[in-house]
Structures are given as structure tokens and as C-alpha cells.
Amino acid sequence: MNEQSRTLPPEALDAWAAALRERFGLAPEDLPVALILDLARDVAVGVARPAAPFSAFAAGLVAGRAGGSPEDTTAAVAAITEMAATWEYES
């Protein structure tokens, strides 16, 4: 697969989210696309680009352990975004 074929229009992400919702029986509010994309952006800028997918996974894990509601997801994302905004790596 070449690089151009991996660059998709926004509609493709919407279609992918719809397919995930259908496959796993999720409601639209269970997959907050904009919230997760904003998290990925904030972590990529505030921490490091490779930390973005890892942080999105962590947000899902934290939200799931808290109960898994959309509010739990929002709270987990907010906490990680706050951490990323002030992150300073100390070696």
C-alpha cells in the first residue's frame, strides 16, 4: 500500500467509525471521534507524536475501568489532555 492510499478523506473516518459501531454494538456517543482526534493532537504536540495512539488507548482503558460511560471517556480524555499541556520530560 502506498502512502497516498493511506491518506483518506474525513468521510472515510466517519465510515470506519460507523463500521466499528456496527461491529461492536456501540452508540455514536461511545465513539467520540472529534474528542479522540483532539486528544491525539494535543498529546502529539505536548508530549510526542508516538504518545498519541498510546494515550488514546490509555484514555479508553481509564474510561472503561471508571464505568465506560461517555462522561467517563470525556473525563479521562480531559485528564490526559491536561497532563499533555504541562508535560516536561526530565531525563
Side-chain angles (χ1 to χ4, degrees), residues 22-49:
E22 181 178 333
R23 170 65 172 84
F24 296 106
L26 301 170
E29 60 272 11
D30 293 332
L31 287 178
V33 174
L35 182 70
I36 299 304
L37 291 179
D38 288 348
L39 169 66
R41 178 201 60 220
D42 294 343
V43 170
V45 170
V47 180
R49 192 171 179 193

Side-chain angles (χ1 to χ4, degrees), residues 10-87:
E11 304 81 46
L13 180 56
D14 293 339
W16 176 244
L20 289 171
R21 285 193 299 271
E22 181 178 333
R23 170 65 172 84
F24 296 106
L26 301 170
E29 60 272 11
D30 293 332
L31 287 178
V33 174
L35 182 70
I36 299 304
L37 291 179
D38 288 348
L39 169 66
R41 178 201 60 220
D42 294 343
V43 170
V45 170
V47 180
R49 192 171 179 193
F54 182 74
S55 298
F57 175 84
L61 183 62
V62 169
R65 288 186 175 174
S69 73
E71 294 78 18
D72 295 326
T73 301
T74 300
V77 168
I80 293 172
T81 298
E82 182 180 324
M83 288 178 64
T86 60
W87 180 255

